[in-house]
Amino acid sequence: MARELSDRPAIKAEPEELPEELEAQDAASFGEHPDSNSVQAIELAHSAIKKFPEFAKRHRKFIGSVAVISTSAIVLASIAIGKRLRRGETPKQILEEITPEEIESSLGLLRRLKLRK
């Protein structure tokens, strides 16, 4: 049986140095590093999702025998948290007050943005 997502240790991603043998054109395939605000929103999104096990359960995928959170859940939580960060709320305040309903409501924003295109 797969362990619950909240039982797993948090993983901090550190930007890694590119191997010397990679040419400049190869380096471009790695993409850009996210800015500090994006990294903060994503870390808070993971923390918020851990706070709501039922939400996490609804948005999990199975890759082989391992259960992982769907990327869409991280995106929704990041949007909801980003809104609050732009309003000037502190990370602690956000984690105390955010609700699963608020995270789910970010889906409406994504749909509206998609319709604009």
Side-chain angles (χ1 to χ4, degrees):
M1 184 171 169
R3 296 186 315 178
E4 288 295 321
L5 295 172
S6 60
D7 294 342
R8 302 200 178 202
I11 298 173
K12 291 264 187 188
E14 296 292 330
E16 56 186 71
E17 295 291 325
L18 296 176
E20 290 179 19
E21 62 269 6
L22 286 179
E23 296 177 20
Q25 65 185 18
D26 294 330
S29 66
F30 287 100
E32 296 180 29
H33 291 287
D35 61 72
S36 61
N37 291 334
S38 298
V39 171
Q40 182 184 26
I42 292 169
E43 287 176 353
L44 287 171
H46 282 279
S47 298
I49 289 171
K50 284 181 187 176
K51 181 179 169 183
F52 306 113
E54 288 301 315
F55 177 83
K57 192 178 272 189
R58 285 195 316 267
H59 292 280
R60 70 180 172 192
K61 290 182 184 179
F62 290 92
I63 300 175
S65 62
V66 178
V68 295
I69 282 289
S70 169
T71 306
S72 62
I74 302 298
V75 170
L76 293 175
S78 296
I79 291 170
I81 288 168
K83 283 183 197 177
R84 286 174 165 254
L85 286 171
R86 283 189 297 280
R87 287 186 217 142
E89 295 184 32
T90 65
K92 182 179 178 184
Q93 182 182 11
I94 293 169
L95 288 177
E96 287 175 357
E97 297 176 358
I98 199 161
T99 65
E101 293 78 21
E102 182 179 354
I103 294 171
E104 292 278 357
S105 72
S106 297
L107 184 58
L109 174 65
L110 284 179
R111 287 183 179 146
R112 288 192 302 275
L113 290 174
K114 188 176 180 182
L115 290 175
R116 286 184 187 174
K117 289 183 178 181

